[in-house]
Amino acid sequence: MGDGEGLEEPGQAEFVSRRRALRTTLSVAVGMVLPSAYDLNAGRTHAEAADALTFEGVKAKARALAASPYQAAPDDLPPALAGLSYDGYRAITFRPEAAPRLGRSFSAQLFHRGFLQRKRVALSLQPREGPARPIPYTSDLFDLGPDLTGQGFAPDLGFAGFRLHYAFDAKAPGNQEEVLVFLGASYFRLRGFGQEYGLSARGAAIRTGGPGAEEFPDFTAFWICEPAAEARTIEIWALLDSPSLAGAYRFQVAPGDPSVMRVEASLHPRVALDRLGLAPLTSMFLHGANGPGARGAEPFDDARPQVHDSDGLAVLTRGERLWRPLTNGRAQPQISAFGVDPLEGFGLLQRERDFPAYLDVQARHEARPGLWVTPETGFGRGAVQLFEIPSREEYMDNIVAAFVPGDPVTAGAEHPVSYTLTTVDAEPVAAVPGTLARVVSTRVGSAERLRPTNPPSPGRRLYVVDFEGTGLPTDRNATLAADVSASAGTMVDPVVEFVPQTGGWRLYVEWRPPAPMPAGDVILRARLTRGGLALTETWDMVA
């Protein structure tokens, strides 16, 4: 799945290309901010103060949208922009001296329309007093690159999205880096200090994995609110629209280490939705420590040991935290559901943080953030659903995780939702609550290597799971037990040992499949205990 992903084969090439186009513009630009050419206060009068837009006003716009027939965002482009190549679009760059300054710590840069970024997005600045001010398009805001030399476009062309820059060092407000980007459908990326862009979040996921065709809502308008001069946080409002859903969003962004974004949404379905994904996260997993991950999957011919933006899904409910390593290489897309009542949190995380695990100097997968979702309102009984699409392409986002309410979302009424997104670096971190030790690696191989039989049994699989965390004993002579189970087949001879090189503990366990294999997935689970008490999160794996 890309930045607008789906299962239909004709669309996959477009989504892959869209992510390529997106990645060409997502770089951490340091020290690129110059004095702004856009004055938030220009022409302001006292009488205009009463006309200031509020988030309640944005919510009213969403209600009005939902009560009206859906109209797609304009995607008409002049031929010169519609016919741009990937490289031609990549060559279009925003002129940093034109960046609107937002207090001392923030500024915004804009994305041009063209190539696959066809839809027009309305961008406005909301001053601290007075009415919102649309940002007018002019070609002079951009260096259009060699393919468009000498050309200009009409003021109604508009923009494709924007990115927010931030001075992580308050003493150097002119030295700003990208921290947040909105570009394409309802996708956005957030990073913390020292991190690279990686996985995406999005406003809503509709019918991801079916039944029926997946739908991709668009953010059609944004209002960037002017912060106080010395503010280290900023607020952004947005309208979301699609054939099935309209909504108003408030993003309260506090960049840092970590970066934290509170999301508040007022959702207005046009139709009943039996699969609405809330707080959806989208990522890429090509291959990792457990190889392709699925039985019979073709190995990757790749000089890099691992390639992924996230390596697992964590789900927290009622004191139990579950860890599902991500998998690629199945013959068909896979949906897994983890029932929760209530949900306390979930996230796609990148737990492998060491460069030697990837050896990719340019991509820096070890520096890519995880995102942790802390629910507030709108999350009750339901399930965290994980959608994994087989992929051989690094530029294809093939992982989606979202909370799906247990009851259908009805049409014609407001559905309020709020939650917090926190960027996650190396764990443990406060954002991922609990004292349980965590799973740090999963490796799978033939059990015949350690327990050969004659004749060999190719179905026997050895699982090696490493756990680390402050809740585990540091005494190698401590007695730990393994609580293991399989939904089919048998878990054989679990062995737990201390790993002095890491200070963690390792579980070895063999799974012997049944004959014949049952239809559907076989789920393996394991955790370490001491005196009957769980010390670790629960490792959960599809055999």
Side-chain angles (χ1 to χ4, degrees), residues 281-538:
L281 308 176
T282 300
S283 193
M284 177 273 292
F285 180 87
L286 200 64
H287 61 93
N290 60 329
R295 293 193 308 273
E298 180 183 350
F300 281 87
D301 187 13
D302 195 325
R304 298 164 298 177
Q306 301 185 42
V307 179
H308 48 77
D309 287 346
S310 306
D311 53 15
L313 168 71
V315 180
L316 180 67
T317 181
R318 292 195 182 278
E320 180 184 25
R321 191 172 67 228
L322 177 146
W323 175 257
R324 165 65 70 85
L326 297 179
T327 298
N328 189 14
R330 294 187 180 96
Q332 298 294 329
Q334 170 77 20
I335 296 181
S336 302
F338 306 93
V340 290
D341 186 13
L343 173 68
E344 296 185 13
F346 76 95
L348 288 174
L349 305 179
Q350 183 79 316
R351 283 188 168 167
E352 179 56 76
R353 310 301 299 182
D354 293 330
F355 171 75
Y358 305 99
L359 298 177
D360 193 324
V361 177
Q362 288 78 34
R364 294 197 62 212
H365 293 103
E366 74 282 356
R368 302 197 174 194
L371 277 179
W372 183 257
V373 178
T374 304
E376 296 178 13
T377 59
F379 297 79
R381 183 184 66 86
V384 175
Q385 294 194 357
L386 174 67
F387 190 35
E388 299 168 287
I389 298 177
S391 172
R392 308 292 297 181
E393 172 59 72
E394 181 177 351
Y395 293 98
M396 179 178 175
D397 281 351
N398 61 327
I399 304 294
V400 179
F403 174 79
V404 178
D407 298 319
V409 178
T410 57
E414 179 185 14
H415 295 269
V417 174
S418 61
Y419 56 93
T420 299
L421 292 172
T422 305
T423 60
V424 178
D425 206 325
E427 296 175 77
V429 291
V432 184
T435 58
L436 296 172
R438 64 199 182 281
V439 177
V440 295
S441 71
T442 299
R443 292 180 299 282
V444 187
S446 170
E448 291 289 341
R449 298 290 183 181
L450 295 181
R451 302 186 185 96
T453 60
N454 189 10
S457 174
R460 295 170 56 198
R461 306 297 290 165
L462 179 69
Y463 289 82
V464 181
V465 185
D466 283 335
F467 298 86
E468 294 180 8
T470 55
L472 291 172
T474 57
D475 179 4
R476 68 171 60 208
N477 296 315
T479 301
L480 272 63
D483 180 6
V484 300
S485 65
S487 62
T490 307
M491 300 287 266
V492 177
D493 296 334
V495 175
V496 180
E497 72 172 359
F498 181 70
V499 183
Q501 292 85 352
T502 65
W505 289 77
R506 175 172 295 176
L507 167 66
Y508 304 88
V509 62
E510 178 186 342
W511 174 66
R512 294 182 181 175
M517 282 287 291
D521 289 340
V522 175
I523 303 299
L524 312 181
R525 287 195 168 186
R527 61 182 180 177
L528 302 186
T529 65
R530 188 180 192 185
L533 298 176
L535 298 182
T536 70
E537 62 190 5
T538 300

Side-chain angles (χ1 to χ4, degrees), residues 252-284:
Q252 296 169 306
V253 187
D257 182 12
S259 289
V260 179
M261 173 190 282
R262 185 177 184 273
V263 182
E264 179 183 350
S266 173
L267 303 181
H268 301 268
R270 290 185 169 95
V271 300
L273 294 170
D274 57 1
R275 184 171 286 183
L276 173 62
L278 303 179
L281 308 176
T282 300
S283 193
M284 177 273 292

